[in-house]
Amino acid sequence: MTTGEDMSPIDALDARVLELFAAEPRIGVLEASRRLGVARGTVQARLDRLARTGVVRGFGPEIDPAALGYAVTAFVTLQLAQGRGHDPVAARLAAVPEVIEAHTITGSADMLCRVVARGNRDLQRVIDMIVAVRGVERASTVISLADQIPHRTLPLVRAAAQQP
């Protein structure tokens, strides 16, 4: 018996399509089909399916916060007031532009946020905004010194394509 966890959502051609579009997001379907040696309709159908199933979440530009002047990245763990839920806090955090990710987590904290700031003094302003959010009881912050492995997904694409 096969479970959904045993089956990969992509195959080798999907992986090649994803790698090509990740490397050259503006390539276009016609040029991609030429380079991959498959029909234009095949590439388009693959992209449509990958988007429909949620494997591909978007085709927008990748934006570097540092290039926008937000050179400091920090990770903030939050302890939340019990009984109020995570969703209201997350909704309020979404109003803070410098909060670029928020995750509900296990362990001693309840939520982990990745935040950016223009500098250390600006980071204090961002943290003050976060702790002012109703439902946040305590915050602990660590500053990222260097991006050793930037956000990546292509190794997962390759691994998923090799699964049966």
Side-chain angles (χ1 to χ4, degrees), residues 43-135:
V43 173
Q44 187 64 61
R46 296 290 179 122
L47 286 171
D48 291 345
R49 180 179 50 76
L50 292 166
R52 185 177 63 253
T53 59
V55 172
V56 172
R57 294 192 301 193
F59 294 94
E62 191 174 327
I63 299 166
D64 180 4
L68 294 174
Y70 295 88
V72 173
T73 297
F75 297 90
V76 182
T77 55
L78 304 176
Q79 291 178 354
L80 306 182
Q82 300 302 302
R84 294 189 183 177
H86 294 83
D87 293 343
V89 172
R92 292 193 267 298
L93 289 172
V96 179
E98 294 86 355
V99 175
I100 58 176
E101 284 184 68
H103 303 268
T104 301
I105 60 172
T106 62
S108 61
D110 300 305
M111 194 171 281
L112 174 69
C113 301
R114 181 162 58 124
V115 303
V116 294
R118 295 186 181 278
N120 288 345
R121 183 170 284 147
D122 189 46
L123 179 59
Q124 181 64 60
R125 177 191 61 81
V126 173
I127 293 167
D128 289 346
M129 290 175 63
I130 291 170
V131 297
V133 167
R134 192 178 52 195

Coordinates of all heavy atoms in Angstrom, one line a residue, residues 43-135:
V43 N 5.7 22.1 -21.3 CA 6.3 23.0 -20.3 C 5.1 23.8 -19.6 O 5.1 23.9 -18.4 CB 7.3 23.9 -20.9 CG1 7.8 24.9 -19.9 CG2 8.5 23.1 -21.4
Q44 N 4.2 24.3 -20.4 CA 3.1 25.1 -19.9 C 2.2 24.2 -19.0 O 1.9 24.7 -17.9 CB 2.3 25.7 -21.0 CG 1.2 26.7 -20.5 CD 1.9 27.9 -19.8 OE1 2.6 28.6 -20.4 NE2 1.6 28.1 -18.5
A45 N 1.9 23.0 -19.4 CA 1.1 22.1 -18.6 C 1.8 21.8 -17.3 O 1.2 21.7 -16.2 CB 0.8 20.9 -19.4
R46 N 3.1 21.6 -17.3 CA 3.9 21.2 -16.1 C 3.8 22.4 -15.2 O 3.6 22.3 -14.0 CB 5.3 20.9 -16.4 CG 5.5 19.6 -17.3 CD 5.1 18.4 -16.4 NE 5.2 17.2 -17.2 CZ 6.0 16.1 -16.9 NH1 6.7 16.2 -15.8 NH2 6.0 15.1 -17.6
L47 N 4.1 23.6 -15.7 CA 4.1 24.8 -14.8 C 2.7 25.0 -14.2 O 2.5 25.4 -13.0 CB 4.5 26.1 -15.6 CG 5.9 26.2 -16.0 CD1 6.2 27.3 -16.9 CD2 6.8 26.4 -14.7
D48 N 1.6 24.9 -15.0 CA 0.3 25.0 -14.5 C 0.0 24.0 -13.4 O -0.6 24.4 -12.4 CB -0.7 24.9 -15.7 CG -0.7 26.0 -16.7 OD1 -0.1 27.1 -16.4 OD2 -1.3 25.8 -17.8
R49 N 0.4 22.8 -13.6 CA 0.1 21.8 -12.6 C 0.9 22.0 -11.3 O 0.4 21.9 -10.2 CB 0.4 20.4 -13.1 CG 0.2 19.2 -12.1 CD 0.5 17.8 -12.6 NE 1.8 17.7 -13.2 CZ 2.9 17.6 -12.5 NH1 3.0 17.7 -11.2 NH2 4.1 17.5 -13.2
L50 N 2.2 22.4 -11.5 CA 3.0 22.7 -10.3 C 2.4 23.9 -9.5 O 2.5 23.9 -8.3 CB 4.4 23.0 -10.8 CG 5.2 21.7 -11.3 CD1 6.5 22.1 -12.0 CD2 5.5 20.7 -10.2
A51 N 1.9 24.9 -10.2 CA 1.3 26.0 -9.5 C 0.0 25.6 -8.9 O -0.3 26.0 -7.7 CB 1.0 27.2 -10.5
R52 N -0.9 24.8 -9.6 CA -2.2 24.4 -9.1 C -2.0 23.5 -7.8 O -2.8 23.6 -6.9 CB -2.9 23.6 -10.2 CG -4.3 23.2 -9.8 CD -5.1 22.6 -10.9 NE -4.4 21.3 -11.3 CZ -3.7 21.1 -12.4 NH1 -3.6 22.1 -13.3 NH2 -3.2 19.9 -12.7
T53 N -1.0 22.7 -7.8 CA -0.8 21.8 -6.6 C 0.0 22.5 -5.5 O 0.3 21.9 -4.5 CB 0.0 20.5 -7.1 OG1 1.2 20.8 -7.6 CG2 -0.9 19.7 -8.0
G54 N 0.5 23.7 -5.7 CA 1.1 24.5 -4.7 C 2.6 24.3 -4.6 O 3.3 24.8 -3.8
V55 N 3.2 23.5 -5.5 CA 4.7 23.3 -5.5 C 5.3 24.6 -5.9 O 6.3 25.0 -5.3 CB 5.1 22.2 -6.5 CG1 6.6 22.1 -6.7 CG2 4.6 20.8 -6.1
V56 N 4.8 25.3 -6.9 CA 5.2 26.6 -7.3 C 4.2 27.6 -6.7 O 3.0 27.6 -6.9 CB 5.3 26.8 -8.8 CG1 5.6 28.3 -9.2 CG2 6.3 25.9 -9.4
R57 N 4.8 28.5 -5.8 CA 3.9 29.5 -5.2 C 3.8 30.9 -5.8 O 3.0 31.7 -5.5 CB 4.3 29.7 -3.7 CG 4.1 28.4 -2.9 CD 4.3 28.6 -1.4 NE 5.6 29.1 -1.1 CZ 6.1 29.2 0.1 NH1 5.4 28.8 1.1 NH2 7.3 29.7 0.3
G58 N 4.7 31.1 -6.8 CA 4.7 32.4 -7.4 C 5.8 32.5 -8.5 O 6.7 31.7 -8.5
F59 N 5.6 33.5 -9.3 CA 6.6 33.8 -10.3 C 7.2 35.2 -10.2 O 7.7 35.8 -11.1 CB 6.0 33.6 -11.7 CG 5.6 32.2 -12.0 CD1 4.3 31.7 -11.7 CD2 6.5 31.3 -12.5 CE1 3.9 30.4 -11.9 CE2 6.1 30.0 -12.7 CZ 4.9 29.5 -12.4
G60 N 7.0 35.8 -9.0 CA 7.5 37.2 -8.8 C 9.0 37.3 -8.6 O 9.7 36.3 -8.4
P61 N 9.5 38.5 -8.6 CA 10.9 38.7 -8.4 C 11.3 38.3 -6.9 O 10.5 38.5 -6.0 CB 11.1 40.1 -8.7 CG 9.8 40.8 -8.4 CD 8.8 39.7 -8.8
E62 N 12.5 37.8 -6.7 CA 13.0 37.6 -5.4 C 13.7 38.9 -5.0 O 14.5 39.5 -5.6 CB 14.1 36.5 -5.5 CG 14.5 36.0 -4.1 CD 15.5 34.8 -4.2 OE1 15.3 34.0 -5.2 OE2 16.3 34.7 -3.4
I63 N 13.2 39.4 -3.8 CA 13.6 40.8 -3.4 C 14.6 40.6 -2.2 O 14.4 39.9 -1.3 CB 12.4 41.6 -3.0 CG1 11.5 41.7 -4.2 CG2 12.8 42.9 -2.4 CD1 10.1 42.2 -3.9
D64 N 15.7 41.3 -2.3 CA 16.7 41.3 -1.2 C 16.5 42.5 -0.3 O 16.7 43.7 -0.7 CB 18.1 41.4 -1.9 CG 19.2 41.4 -0.9 OD1 19.0 41.2 0.3 OD2 20.4 41.5 -1.3
P65 N 16.1 42.2 1.0 CA 15.9 43.3 1.9 C 17.1 44.2 2.1 O 17.0 45.4 2.2 CB 15.5 42.6 3.2 CG 14.9 41.3 2.8 CD 15.7 40.9 1.5
A66 N 18.3 43.7 2.1 CA 19.5 44.5 2.2 C 19.7 45.5 1.1 O 20.1 46.6 1.4 CB 20.8 43.6 2.3
A67 N 19.3 45.1 -0.1 CA 19.4 46.1 -1.2 C 18.4 47.2 -1.1 O 18.5 48.2 -1.7 CB 19.2 45.3 -2.5
L68 N 17.3 47.0 -0.3 CA 16.4 48.0 0.0 C 16.8 48.9 1.2 O 16.0 49.8 1.6 CB 15.0 47.4 0.3 CG 14.3 46.7 -0.9 CD1 13.0 46.0 -0.4 CD2 14.0 47.7 -2.0
G69 N 17.9 48.6 1.8 CA 18.4 49.3 3.0 C 18.2 48.6 4.3 O 18.5 49.2 5.3
Y70 N 17.6 47.4 4.3 CA 17.4 46.7 5.5 C 18.5 45.7 5.7 O 18.4 44.5 5.4 CB 16.0 46.0 5.5 CG 14.9 47.0 5.5 CD1 14.4 47.5 4.3 CD2 14.3 47.4 6.7 CE1 13.4 48.4 4.2 CE2 13.3 48.4 6.7 CZ 12.8 48.9 5.4 OH 11.8 49.8 5.4
A71 N 19.7 46.1 6.2 CA 20.9 45.3 6.2 C 20.9 44.3 7.4 O 21.7 43.4 7.4 CB 22.1 46.2 6.3
V72 N 20.1 44.6 8.4 CA 20.2 43.7 9.6 C 19.0 42.7 9.5 O 17.9 43.1 9.3 CB 20.1 44.5 10.9 CG1 19.9 43.6 12.1 CG2 21.3 45.4 11.0
T73 N 19.3 41.4 9.7 CA 18.3 40.4 9.8 C 18.4 39.8 11.2 O 19.5 39.6 11.8 CB 18.6 39.2 8.8 OG1 18.5 39.8 7.5 CG2 17.6 38.1 9.0
A74 N 17.3 39.6 11.8 CA 17.2 39.0 13.2 C 16.1 38.0 13.3 O 15.2 38.0 12.5 CB 17.0 40.1 14.2
F75 N 16.2 37.1 14.2 CA 15.2 36.1 14.5 C 14.7 36.4 15.9 O 15.5 36.5 16.9 CB 15.8 34.7 14.4 CG 16.2 34.4 13.0 CD1 17.6 34.7 12.6 CD2 15.4 33.9 12.1 CE1 18.0 34.4 11.3 CE2 15.8 33.7 10.8 CZ 17.1 33.9 10.4
V76 N 13.4 36.5 16.0 CA 12.7 36.9 17.3 C 11.8 35.8 17.7 O 10.9 35.4 16.9 CB 12.0 38.2 17.1 CG1 11.3 38.6 18.5 CG2 12.8 39.3 16.6
T77 N 12.0 35.2 18.9 CA 11.1 34.2 19.4 C 10.2 34.9 20.3 O 10.6 35.8 21.1 CB 11.8 33.0 20.1 OG1 12.6 33.6 21.1 CG2 12.6 32.2 19.2
L78 N 8.9 34.5 20.3 CA 7.9 35.2 21.0 C 7.2 34.2 22.0 O 6.8 33.1 21.5 CB 6.8 35.8 20.1 CG 7.3 36.8 19.1 CD1 6.2 37.3 18.2 CD2 8.0 38.0 19.8
Q79 N 6.9 34.6 23.2 CA 6.0 33.9 24.1 C 4.7 34.7 24.0 O 4.7 35.9 24.2 CB 6.6 33.8 25.5 CG 7.8 32.9 25.5 CD 8.5 32.9 26.9 OE1 8.0 33.6 27.8 NE2 9.5 32.0 27.0
L80 N 3.6 33.9 23.8 CA 2.3 34.6 23.7 C 1.5 34.3 24.9 O 1.6 33.3 25.6 CB 1.6 34.0 22.4 CG 2.4 34.1 21.1 CD1 1.6 33.6 19.9 CD2 2.9 35.5 20.8
A81 N 0.5 35.2 25.1 CA -0.4 35.0 26.2 C -1.3 33.8 25.8 O -1.7 33.6 24.7 CB -1.3 36.2 26.3
Q82 N -1.4 32.9 26.8 CA -2.2 31.7 26.6 C -3.7 31.9 26.5 O -4.2 32.8 27.1 CB -1.9 30.7 27.7 CG -0.4 30.3 27.8 CD 0.2 29.8 26.5 OE1 -0.3 28.8 26.0 NE2 1.2 30.4 25.9
G83 N -4.3 31.2 25.7 CA -5.8 31.2 25.5 C -6.3 32.2 24.5 O -7.5 32.3 24.3
R84 N -5.4 33.0 23.9 CA -5.8 34.0 22.9 C -5.6 33.5 21.5 O -6.1 34.1 20.5 CB -5.1 35.3 23.1 CG -5.5 35.9 24.4 CD -4.9 37.3 24.4 NE -5.2 37.9 25.7 CZ -4.8 39.1 26.1 NH1 -4.0 39.8 25.2 NH2 -5.1 39.6 27.2
G85 N -4.8 32.5 21.3 CA -4.5 31.9 20.0 C -3.4 32.6 19.3 O -3.0 33.8 19.6
H86 N -2.9 32.0 18.3 CA -1.7 32.5 17.5 C -2.2 33.4 16.3 O -1.5 34.3 16.0 CB -0.9 31.3 16.9 CG -0.2 30.5 17.9 ND1 -0.9 29.5 18.6 CD2 1.0 30.6 18.4 CE1 0.0 29.0 19.5 NE2 1.1 29.6 19.4
D87 N -3.4 33.1 15.8 CA -3.8 33.8 14.6 C -4.0 35.3 14.8 O -3.6 36.1 14.0 CB -5.1 33.2 14.0 CG -4.9 31.8 13.5 OD1 -3.7 31.4 13.2 OD2 -5.8 31.1 13.3
P88 N -4.6 35.8 15.9 CA -4.7 37.2 16.1 C -3.4 37.9 16.2 O -3.2 39.0 15.7 CB -5.5 37.3 17.4 CG -6.2 36.0 17.6 CD -5.3 35.0 17.0
V89 N -2.4 37.3 16.9 CA -1.1 37.8 17.0 C -0.4 37.9 15.6 O 0.1 38.9 15.2 CB -0.2 37.0 18.0 CG1 1.2 37.5 17.9 CG2 -0.8 37.1 19.4
A90 N -0.5 36.8 14.9 CA 0.1 36.8 13.5 C -0.6 37.9 12.6 O 0.2 38.6 11.9 CB -0.1 35.4 12.9
A91 N -1.8 38.1 12.7 CA -2.5 39.1 12.0 C -2.0 40.5 12.3 O -1.7 41.4 11.4 CB -4.0 39.1 12.2
R92 N -1.7 40.8 13.6 CA -1.2 42.1 14.0 C 0.3 42.2 13.6 O 0.7 43.3 13.2 CB -1.4 42.2 15.5 CG -2.8 42.4 15.9 CD -3.0 42.9 17.3 NE -3.2 41.9 18.4 CZ -4.2 41.0 18.5 NH1 -5.1 40.9 17.6 NH2 -4.3 40.3 19.6
L93 N 1.0 41.1 13.7 CA 2.4 41.1 13.3 C 2.5 41.4 11.8 O 3.5 42.0 11.3 CB 3.2 39.8 13.6 CG 3.4 39.6 15.1 CD1 4.0 38.2 15.3 CD2 4.4 40.6 15.6
A94 N 1.6 40.9 11.0 CA 1.6 41.2 9.5 C 1.5 42.7 9.2 O 1.9 43.1 8.1 CB 0.4 40.4 8.9
A95 N 1.0 43.5 10.1 CA 1.0 44.9 9.9 C 2.3 45.6 10.1 O 2.5 46.8 9.8 CB -0.1 45.5 10.8
V96 N 3.3 44.9 10.6 CA 4.7 45.4 10.8 C 5.5 45.0 9.5 O 5.8 43.8 9.3 CB 5.3 44.8 12.1 CG1 6.8 45.4 12.2 CG2 4.5 45.1 13.3
P97 N 5.8 45.9 8.6 CA 6.5 45.6 7.4 C 7.8 44.9 7.5 O 8.2 44.0 6.7 CB 6.7 46.9 6.7 CG 5.9 47.9 7.4 CD 5.6 47.4 8.8
E98 N 8.5 45.1 8.6 CA 9.8 44.5 8.9 C 9.7 43.1 9.3 O 10.7 42.4 9.3 CB 10.6 45.3 9.9 CG 11.0 46.7 9.4 CD 9.9 47.8 9.7 OE1 8.8 47.4 10.2 OE2 10.1 49.0 9.4
V99 N 8.5 42.6 9.7 CA 8.3 41.2 10.0 C 8.1 40.5 8.6 O 7.1 40.6 8.0 CB 7.2 40.9 10.9 CG1 6.9 39.4 11.1 CG2 7.4 41.6 12.3
I100 N 9.1 39.7 8.2 CA 9.0 39.1 6.8 C 8.6 37.7 6.9 O 8.3 37.1 5.8 CB 10.3 39.4 6.0 CG1 11.5 38.8 6.7 CG2 10.5 40.9 5.7 CD1 12.8 39.0 5.8
E101 N 8.7 37.1 8.1 CA 8.2 35.7 8.2 C 7.7 35.5 9.7 O 8.3 36.1 10.6 CB 9.2 34.6 8.0 CG 9.6 34.4 6.6 CD 10.6 33.2 6.5 OE1 10.3 32.1 6.8 OE2 11.8 33.5 6.1
A102 N 6.7 34.7 9.9 CA 6.3 34.3 11.3 C 5.9 32.9 11.2 O 5.1 32.5 10.3 CB 5.3 35.2 11.8
H103 N 6.3 32.1 12.2 CA 6.0 30.7 12.2 C 5.6 30.3 13.6 O 6.2 30.7 14.6 CB 7.2 29.8 11.9 CG 7.8 30.1 10.5 ND1 7.4 29.4 9.4 CD2 8.7 31.0 10.1 CE1 8.1 29.9 8.4 NE2 8.9 30.9 8.8
T104 N 4.5 29.5 13.8 CA 4.2 28.9 15.1 C 5.1 27.8 15.3 O 5.4 27.0 14.3 CB 2.7 28.4 15.0 OG1 1.8 29.5 14.8 CG2 2.3 27.8 16.4
I105 N 5.7 27.7 16.5 CA 6.7 26.7 16.7 C 6.5 25.9 18.0 O 5.6 26.3 18.8 CB 8.1 27.4 16.8 CG1 8.2 28.4 18.0 CG2 8.5 28.0 15.5 CD1 9.6 28.9 18.2
T106 N 7.2 24.8 18.1 CA 7.2 24.1 19.4 C 8.4 24.5 20.2 O 9.3 25.2 19.8 CB 7.3 22.5 19.1 OG1 8.6 22.3 18.5 CG2 6.2 22.1 18.2
G107 N 8.4 24.1 21.5 CA 9.5 24.4 22.4 C 9.1 25.4 23.4 O 7.9 25.6 23.7
S108 N 10.1 26.1 23.9 CA 9.8 27.1 25.0 C 9.2 28.4 24.5 O 8.6 29.1 25.3 CB 11.1 27.4 25.7 OG 12.1 28.0 24.8
A109 N 9.2 28.7 23.2 CA 8.6 29.8 22.7 C 7.4 29.4 21.8 O 7.2 28.2 21.5 CB 9.5 30.7 21.8
D110 N 6.5 30.3 21.5 CA 5.3 30.0 20.7 C 5.4 30.4 19.2 O 4.7 29.8 18.4 CB 4.1 30.8 21.3 CG 3.9 30.4 22.8 OD1 3.7 29.2 23.0 OD2 3.9 31.3 23.6
M111 N 6.2 31.4 18.9 CA 6.3 31.9 17.6 C 7.7 32.3 17.3 O 8.4 32.8 18.1 CB 5.3 33.1 17.4 CG 5.1 33.4 15.9 SD 3.7 34.6 15.8 CE 2.3 33.6 15.9
L112 N 8.1 32.1 16.0 CA 9.4 32.6 15.6 C 9.2 33.5 14.4 O 8.5 33.2 13.4 CB 10.3 31.4 15.1 CG 11.6 31.7 14.5 CD1 12.6 32.3 15.5 CD2 12.2 30.5 13.8
C113 N 9.9 34.7 14.5 CA 9.7 35.7 13.4 C 11.1 36.0 12.8 O 12.1 36.1 13.6 CB 9.1 37.0 13.9 SG 7.5 36.8 14.7
R114 N 11.2 36.1 11.5 CA 12.4 36.7 10.9 C 12.0 38.1 10.6 O 11.0 38.4 10.0 CB 12.7 35.9 9.6 CG 14.0 36.5 9.0 CD 14.6 35.6 8.0 NE 13.8 35.2 6.9 CZ 14.1 35.4 5.6 NH1 15.2 36.0 5.3 NH2 13.2 35.1 4.7
V115 N 12.9 39.0 11.1 CA 12.7 40.5 10.9 C 13.9 41.1 10.2 O 15.0 40.5 10.3 CB 12.3 41.2 12.2 CG1 11.1 40.5 12.9 CG2 13.5 41.2 13.2
V116 N 13.7 42.2 9.6 CA 14.8 43.0 9.1 C 14.7 44.4 9.6 O 13.6 44.9 10.0 CB 14.8 43.0 7.5 CG1 15.0 41.6 7.0 CG2 13.5 43.6 7.0
A117 N 15.9 45.1 9.6 CA 15.9 46.5 10.1 C 17.0 47.2 9.3 O 17.9 46.5 8.8 CB 16.2 46.5 11.6
R118 N 17.0 48.5 9.4 CA 18.0 49.3 8.7 C 19.4 49.3 9.4 O 20.4 49.5 8.8 CB 17.5 50.7 8.5 CG 16.3 50.8 7.5 CD 15.9 52.2 7.2 NE 14.8 52.2 6.3 CZ 14.8 52.1 5.0 NH1 16.0 51.9 4.4 NH2 13.7 52.1 4.3
G119 N 19.3 49.0 10.7 CA 20.5 49.0 11.5 C 20.1 48.5 12.9 O 19.0 48.2 13.2
N120 N 21.1 48.5 13.8 CA 20.8 48.0 15.2 C 19.8 48.9 15.9 O 18.9 48.4 16.6 CB 22.1 47.8 16.0 CG 22.9 46.6 15.5 OD1 22.3 45.8 14.8 ND2 24.1 46.5 15.9
R121 N 20.0 50.2 15.8 CA 19.1 51.2 16.4 C 17.6 51.0 15.8 O 16.7 51.0 16.6 CB 19.5 52.6 16.2 CG 18.6 53.6 16.9 CD 19.2 55.0 16.9 NE 20.3 55.0 17.9 CZ 21.4 55.7 17.8 NH1 21.6 56.4 16.8 NH2 22.3 55.6 18.8
D122 N 17.6 50.8 14.5 CA 16.2 50.5 13.9 C 15.7 49.2 14.4 O 14.5 49.0 14.5 CB 16.4 50.6 12.4 CG 15.0 50.6 11.7 OD1 14.1 51.3 12.1 OD2 14.9 49.8 10.7
L123 N 16.5 48.2 14.6 CA 16.1 46.9 15.1 C 15.4 47.1 16.4 O 14.3 46.4 16.7 CB 17.2 45.9 15.2 CG 16.9 44.5 15.8 CD1 15.8 43.8 14.9 CD2 18.1 43.7 15.9
Q124 N 15.9 48.0 17.3 CA 15.2 48.2 18.6 C 13.8 48.7 18.3 O 12.9 48.3 19.0 CB 16.0 49.2 19.4 CG 15.4 49.5 20.8 CD 15.3 48.3 21.6 OE1 16.4 47.7 21.9 NE2 14.2 47.8 22.0
R125 N 13.6 49.6 17.3 CA 12.3 50.1 17.0 C 11.4 49.0 16.6 O 10.2 48.9 17.0 CB 12.4 51.2 15.9 CG 11.1 51.7 15.4 CD 11.2 52.6 14.2 NE 11.7 51.8 13.0 CZ 11.0 51.0 12.2 NH1 9.7 50.9 12.5 NH2 11.5 50.4 11.2
V126 N 11.9 48.1 15.7 CA 11.1 47.0 15.2 C 10.7 46.1 16.4 O 9.5 45.6 16.5 CB 11.9 46.2 14.2 CG1 11.1 44.9 13.8 CG2 12.1 47.1 12.9
I127 N 11.7 45.8 17.3 CA 11.4 44.9 18.4 C 10.3 45.6 19.3 O 9.4 44.9 19.8 CB 12.6 44.6 19.2 CG1 13.6 43.7 18.4 CG2 12.3 43.9 20.5 CD1 15.0 43.6 18.9
D128 N 10.4 46.9 19.5 CA 9.4 47.6 20.3 C 8.1 47.5 19.7 O 7.1 47.3 20.5 CB 9.8 49.1 20.5 CG 11.0 49.3 21.4 OD1 11.4 48.3 22.1 OD2 11.6 50.4 21.3
M129 N 8.0 47.5 18.4 CA 6.7 47.4 17.7 C 6.1 46.0 18.0 O 4.9 45.8 18.2 CB 6.8 47.7 16.2 CG 7.1 49.1 15.9 SD 7.4 49.4 14.2 CE 5.8 48.9 13.4
I130 N 7.0 45.0 17.9 CA 6.6 43.6 18.1 C 6.1 43.4 19.5 O 5.0 42.8 19.7 CB 7.7 42.6 17.7 CG1 8.0 42.7 16.2 CG2 7.4 41.2 18.1 CD1 9.2 42.0 15.7
V131 N 6.8 43.8 20.5 CA 6.4 43.5 21.9 C 5.2 44.4 22.3 O 4.5 44.0 23.2 CB 7.5 43.7 22.9 CG1 8.6 42.7 22.6 CG2 8.1 45.1 22.9
A132 N 4.9 45.4 21.5 CA 3.6 46.2 21.7 C 2.4 45.5 21.2 O 1.3 45.9 21.5 CB 3.8 47.6 21.1
V133 N 2.6 44.4 20.4 CA 1.4 43.7 19.8 C 0.7 43.0 21.0 O 1.3 42.3 21.8 CB 1.9 42.7 18.8 CG1 0.8 41.7 18.4 CG2 2.4 43.4 17.5
R134 N -0.6 43.2 21.0 CA -1.4 42.6 22.1 C -1.4 41.1 21.9 O -1.5 40.5 20.8 CB -2.9 43.0 21.9 CG -3.7 42.6 23.1 CD -5.1 43.1 23.0 NE -5.6 42.7 21.7 CZ -6.7 43.1 21.1 NH1 -7.4 44.0 21.7 NH2 -7.0 42.6 20.0
G135 N -1.0 40.4 23.0 CA -0.9 38.9 23.0 C 0.6 38.5 23.1 O 0.8 37.3 23.4

